[in-house]
Amino acid sequence: MRKPAPAQHRRPAREAGAAAPALNIASLTVRYADILALDRVSLGLEQGNICALVGVNGSGKSTLFKAIMGLVSAGTGTVRIFGAGSKAARKNNLLTYVPQSEDVDWTFPVSVHDVVMMGRYGRLGPTRRPHSADREAVDHALEQVGLTSLASRQIGELSGGQRKRAFVARGIAQQARLMLLDEPFAGVDKGSEATLTSLLQRLRADGKTILISTHDLAGIPRFCDEAVLLHRSVLAHGDPAEVLTTENLARAFGEGATSGAA
Ligand SMILES: Nc1ncnc2c1ncn2[C@@H]1O[C@H](COP(=O)(O)OP(=O)(O)OP(=O)(O)O)[C@@H](O)[C@H]1O
Ligand SMILES: [Mg+2]
């Protein structure tokens, strides 16, 4: 688990004067009524890395994703995606979000193809009619995640692992530069996990930046360039080998670490 990440996973540090970071969060605080979910979170991600987001249940991982998307309002602090605010970043297709399964209404009567086409909505013209470029992008995305043969199925009729892949396909079709994946491996078998992992590596090779929450700590050094340990605030961030130490994990997962109440 604490084996250093293979050298090819590392990316050179950003040069002075280069483009804005993929993600820049400064002193972000989010509350749900009297519950303090995020407390002065600051986090920067360079373009082209896969970063694991790790923390105990209730540590604020999903809240962080929602705050980046602008789906929960920040009490204080700022979020910038390639220099833009959440709303502008969404409008300009800079980011995509694969929610935790529990946050999705799977009974919604749409096909897998429809879900992936949703990734194109922000790019459709005023008529909202897909053009051949949109259909091609959807077909390509379905092919990449291996769901071409299931394109006409209702999304609720897919297995858990296939549903995750459908949402990843939506992000691929959207051609988003920052991808937020909330526990894509939960309830997924080892084979589907390997498929998804190699897909993420291909997306990284295309220059995508990926923030991915996971409870599979052992798998992180295999495909992640960096890791963030979250417990309402950032406890550690950096190379997985330096972040996932016994001491840090005890701080994040140790006794008394499960309460999210302020
Ligand atoms: N809609 C909500 N209303 C009130 N409190 C909430 C809401 N969503 C989350 N919380 C609380 O905020 C804290 C952070 O929750 P969050 O869902 O972000 O954690 P998480 O790290 O994603 O957990 P898990 O690993 O279980 O998915 C928890 O204390 C949770 O109970
Ligand atoms: Mg969560």
Side-chain angles (χ1 to χ4, degrees), residues 21 23-30 37-45 51 53 64 67-68 76-80 211 226-238:
L23 179 64
N24 191 12
I25 298 175
S27 203
L28 176 70
T29 295
V30 175
L38 295 175
D39 184 13
R40 288 163 291 171
V41 168
S42 293
L43 178 66
L45 294 186
C51 179
L53 181 61
L64 183 60
I68 296 168
T76 54
T78 55
V79 174
R80 288 283 174 275
L211 182 63
E226 39 187 303
V228 173
L229 206 49
L230 187 71
H231 185 239
R232 206 181 299 155
S233 40
V234 173
L235 298 184
H237 175 207

Side-chain angles (χ1 to χ4, degrees), residues 22-25 41 43-46 48-54 60-69 79 81 95-99 168 177-185 200 204 208-214 223-230 234 237:
L23 179 64
N24 191 12
I25 298 175
V41 168
L43 178 66
L45 294 186
E46 299 304 330
N49 274 0
I50 300 179
C51 179
L53 181 61
V54 176
K61 303 180 295 298
S62 296
T63 302
L64 183 60
F65 286 128
K66 289 171 191 169
I68 296 168
M69 289 295 291
V79 174
I81 298 109
L95 81 166
T96 193
Y97 169 47
V98 178
V168 172
R177 294 166 67 191
L178 173 63
M179 305 184 82
L180 310 174
L181 311 183
D182 199 354
E183 298 199 27
F185 301 135
L200 298 183
R204 171 178 56 193
K208 309 293 185 197
T209 309
I210 301 168
L211 182 63
I212 174 171
S213 72
T214 176
F223 73 100
C224 295
D225 307 287
E226 39 187 303
V228 173
L229 206 49
L230 187 71
V234 173
H237 175 207

Side-chain angles (χ1 to χ4, degrees), residues 32-33 35-38 55-64 66 100 182-183 215 230 258-261:
Y32 299 104
I35 293 176
L36 180 62
L38 295 175
V56 74
N57 293 142
S59 57
K61 303 180 295 298
S62 296
T63 302
L64 183 60
K66 289 171 191 169
Q100 203 166 347
D182 199 354
E183 298 199 27
H215 291 285
L230 187 71
T258 51
S259 163

